[in-house]
Amino acid sequence: MSEIADEELAERARKLFAGPVEFLKSAPGLQFLPDPAVPEVAFAGRSNVGKSSLLNAITNRKGLARTSNTPGRTQELNFFEVGNPLQIRLVDMPGYGFAEAPKDLVKRWKKLVNDYLRGRPVLKRALVLVDSRHGLKDVDREMMRMLDDAAVSYHLVLTKGDKIKPSALGTLYETTLTEAAKHPAAHPAIFTTSSETGSGIAELRTAILEAATT
Ligand SMILES: Nc1nc2c(ncn2[C@@H]2O[C@H](COP(=O)(O)OP(=O)(O)OP(=O)(O)O)[C@@H](O)[C@H]2O)c(=O)[nH]1
Ligand SMILES: [Mg+2]
């Protein structure tokens, strides 16, 4: 893509996310999904990694998606609508990998997420969030394999970048890049973000719009 086209896309993304964004619904099962009217981009990641915070940062709304310190607060697929007329739906997925998760909850989570990933042609991309302080864990690798198998293209996003030194973040970025290259559905572009400082947020907005329009 040319530099001018890049800048145009970035400006369109900025305007889109500065405009109307609304919570649509919470879907505890596939029968509750909204009509597949527009492209969707889903947020995945371990519990507490910062999915809801990132969604709020991207849309510039503090309390749109509920954030908390209690792991496993989000248990459904939460749909948010962007644009008027509607252009993109963002999907906040339940977090995985917290220690106290009961087995049947994990089973339910896997079924809901797998069914959604496999049966949703409008799902254009997923964002797999990884805490910069921890890096990729086996539960993240499992999520990445689910996406590989469902052939859903995804970006890895290193979150909470404000919590570690830039040099450590740089090293983590490189090792994560190397690991992503081994996954067929992983997109070569990786993002580092902070919902606290706003770093990397504009770039992610552009990537979301790009994913939804290609
Ligand atoms: N310093 C810092 N803290 C963050 C950032 N993003 C999220 N947090 C904090 O991390 C905690 C968890 O954030 P959430 O956005 O609720 O995480 P989540 O991934 O949605 O969690 P679940 O819904 O339980 O899966 C909250 O206390 C946030 O304030 C960030 O970029 N920097
Ligand atoms: Mg959440």
Side-chain angles (χ1 to χ4, degrees):
M1 209 188 285
S2 77
E3 227 166 84
I4 291 174
D6 264 358
E7 270 171 37
E8 268 173 23
L9 191 70
E11 180 56 14
R12 269 175 50 212
R14 190 191 64 74
K15 280 198 182 132
L16 175 64
F17 287 103
V21 183
E22 270 180 54
F23 173 71
L24 173 64
K25 69 181 321 196
S26 240
L30 286 196
Q31 65 272 39
F32 301 102
L33 295 184
D35 285 344
V38 291
E40 291 172 359
V41 174
F43 291 57
R46 291 173 71 204
S47 193
N48 207 48
V49 70
K51 294 176 293 299
S52 303
S53 302
L54 189 64
L55 215 140
N56 288 339
I58 284 169
T59 59
N60 264 315
R61 273 111 179 140
K62 279 219 156 62
L64 186 70
R66 257 203 297 164
T67 64
S68 85
N69 281 315
T70 318
R73 180 52 67 81
T74 311
Q75 282 305 327
E76 302 87 18
L77 300 169
N78 288 302
F79 288 81
F80 298 87
E81 300 201 311
V82 184
N84 184 16
L86 175 61
Q87 282 201 49
I88 300 175
R89 286 196 180 118
L90 301 178
V91 187
D92 193 7
M93 302 215 284
Y96 49 78
F98 52 99
E100 8 9 321
K103 273 214 177 85
D104 63 324
L105 190 74
V106 175
K107 235 172 122 180
R108 237 187 26 225
W109 176 89
K110 275 199 183 140
K111 174 152 176 46
L112 176 65
V113 171
N114 231 333
D115 288 353
Y116 171 69
L117 296 180
R118 288 171 177 275
R120 198 71 174 166
V122 289
L123 175 60
K124 296 301 176 190
R125 194 152 299 169
L127 307 177
V128 178
L129 278 53
V130 177
D131 193 316
S132 295
R133 295 168 301 177
H134 309 309
L136 282 170
K137 300 278 184 196
D138 282 343
V139 279
D140 301 312
R141 297 183 177 104
E142 199 181 327
M143 181 76 233
M144 291 164 78
R145 278 195 296 272
M146 274 169 75
L147 289 160
D148 289 336
D149 292 346
V152 173
S153 147
Y154 56 95
H155 289 290
L156 293 177
V157 178
L158 302 172
T159 64
K160 308 193 188 183
D162 58 286
K163 292 259 200 182
I164 67 165
K165 287 201 185 105
S167 59
L169 192 56
T171 309
L172 179 69
Y173 179 84
E174 293 302 326
T175 55
T176 311
L177 213 54
T178 308
E179 188 160 347
K182 296 176 191 150
H183 287 262
H187 194 285
I190 292 179
F191 295 87
T192 57
T193 60
S194 166
S195 302
E196 278 297 303
T197 68
S199 91
I201 301 299
E203 289 81 356
L204 204 50
R205 283 188 193 119
T206 309
I208 289 171
L209 182 60
E210 191 261 341
T213 49
T214 48

